[in-house]
Amino acid sequence: MSAPNIEAVKEYLLGLQDAICDALEQADGGGKFIEDAWQREAGGGGRTRVLNNGSIIEKGGVNFSHVFGDKLPGSATAHRPELAGRSFQAMGVSLVIHPHNPYIPTSHANVRFFIAEKEGEEPVWWFGGGFDLTPYYGNDEDCKFWHETAKEACDPFGEDIYPRFKEWCDEYFYLKHRDEPRGVGGLFFDDLNELGFEKSFALMQSIGNAYTKAYLPIIEKNKDKEYGERQRDFQLHRRGRYVEFNLVFDRGTLFGLQSGGRTESILMSLPPEVRWGYDWKPEDGTEEAVLYERYLKPRNWLEV
């Protein structure tokens, strides 16, 4: 198995952050990302980029981080006890885009690399990541296009990759306490090393590069749809589910907080406005009810 090329991964991730920010600024047509470079006292750092109050994007964050240290946090060793006592490096690009218009879904993407080393032993490394879509008002064409683009990114690496990563995404982005998915899924993978370094790295790159191909046409298609207070209220209600998932279940959030990461960068994924109403439920026969009845259910979106 070929040895990991850490510098090549870092170079790719920095370039990916640049490319995604440039593409999102062009799609927005008004907003600009501001950059906040930071250092981690325990080792490493990153650059956080945030776009606030753009023409289309209400809040978008695209973060690069590269952190390292002598000891892993509990969130990393809980299911991998063999990592205890190893030094580590973790690097990745993570992003969340919250548009103004409720007819444009929120989107999330993340690609990352992790390596743990100990003198005299082989390094333990893997890739992870994916992207997923969280609509407020479902659209079959958008869901199908999103998943078709995801499948195209996976197909060169084996016909089993997309269905496996798609199912993994459905299972991962699930709010157990609500008994509902976060959205309509996409791709999720972790602990990927069985393909060897070069092929695993290539698959991670293919997925990272596919995010803007999947999302930008959905922005363009829906950006001019009219909406009112009702749609905005529903969007803020559903954003509450997004917050719940990120703070309760998300591995990246837990790893970042437990490893002494930069809190502002870790929590950049949270929306600028959100609402919780006690035991709120949509009325039967409404657009809002359709989200629960049709879209918040795992399905084969390639065949809708």
Side-chain angles (χ1 to χ4, degrees), residues 117-129:
E117 299 176 281
K118 190 174 184 178
E119 190 173 351
E121 297 186 20
E122 286 292 313
V124 178
W125 59 267
W126 65 79
F127 291 95

Side-chain angles (χ1 to χ4, degrees), residues 138-146 221 294-295 299 301 304:
N139 180 289
D140 283 8
E141 290 181 0
D142 291 348
C143 295
K144 184 175 184 179
F145 175 77
W146 179 263
K221 177 185 170 186
R294 178 166 178 78
Y295 293 92
R299 65 171 65 235
W301 286 108
V304 295

Side-chain angles (χ1 to χ4, degrees), residues 120-277:
E121 297 186 20
E122 286 292 313
V124 178
W125 59 267
W126 65 79
F127 291 95
F131 51 74
D132 63 287
L133 194 69
T134 306
Y136 306 98
Y137 291 91
N139 180 289
D140 283 8
E141 290 181 0
D142 291 348
C143 295
K144 184 175 184 179
F145 175 77
W146 179 263
H147 279 271
E148 285 175 340
T149 309
K151 184 176 183 297
E152 287 171 5
C154 297
D155 279 350
F157 302 89
E159 60 182 21
D160 64 313
I161 298 292
Y162 167 74
R164 182 156 62 95
F165 288 4
K166 190 267 185 191
E167 182 179 4
W168 202 343
C169 187
D170 289 339
E171 293 173 354
Y172 180 72
F173 290 106
Y174 193 84
L175 286 81
K176 299 178 182 68
H177 62 289
R178 297 285 190 184
D179 193 25
E180 66 183 42
R182 188 170 82 172
V184 297
L187 302 172
F188 179 84
F189 67 101
D190 207 359
D191 303 323
L192 177 71
N193 58 20
E194 67 267 23
L195 302 176
F197 176 77
E198 294 296 339
K199 196 168 182 181
S200 298
F201 183 25
L203 174 54
M204 184 267 270
Q205 291 178 76
S206 183
I207 290 172
N209 296 341
Y211 165 73
T212 51
K213 297 176 187 176
Y215 191 49
L216 296 186
I218 294 175
I219 290 179
E220 183 65 26
K221 177 185 170 186
N222 295 291
K223 66 180 183 179
D224 295 323
K225 288 185 177 178
E226 294 185 6
Y227 66 93
E229 186 176 344
R230 174 178 179 143
Q231 288 79 19
R232 177 65 171 173
D233 285 348
F234 186 59
Q235 179 192 48
L236 298 185
H237 164 72
R238 289 300 308 170
R239 281 179 176 178
R241 300 292 200 262
Y242 209 92
V243 172
E244 290 175 20
F245 181 88
N246 279 27
L247 295 183
V248 176
F249 298 112
D250 187 75
R251 292 180 191 172
T253 301
L254 297 176
F255 177 85
L257 295 174
Q258 291 182 13
S259 63
R262 186 169 183 269
T263 302
E264 284 300 310
S265 298
I266 296 164
L267 299 182
M268 71 170 188
S269 62
L270 301 183
E273 293 187 40
V274 65
R275 180 171 300 152
W276 280 272

Side-chain angles (χ1 to χ4, degrees), residues 3-10 13 65-67 88-93 110-117 123-129 189-190 192-193 197 200-201 204 255:
N5 186 338
I6 298 173
E7 284 306 310
V9 177
K10 184 173 183 178
L13 291 171
S65 64
H66 176 201
V67 300
F88 76 95
Q89 294 189 60
M91 65 181 74
V93 168
N110 168 256
V111 284
R112 57 188 179 273
F113 174 71
F114 178 91
I115 186 167
E117 299 176 281
V124 178
W125 59 267
W126 65 79
F127 291 95
F189 67 101
D190 207 359
L192 177 71
N193 58 20
F197 176 77
S200 298
F201 183 25
M204 184 267 270
F255 177 85

Side-chain angles (χ1 to χ4, degrees), residues 49-63:
R49 292 179 180 168
V50 177
L51 189 159
N52 283 310
N53 254 342
S55 301
I56 293 170
I57 299 170
E58 186 174 1
K59 181 187 177 185
V62 184
N63 189 40

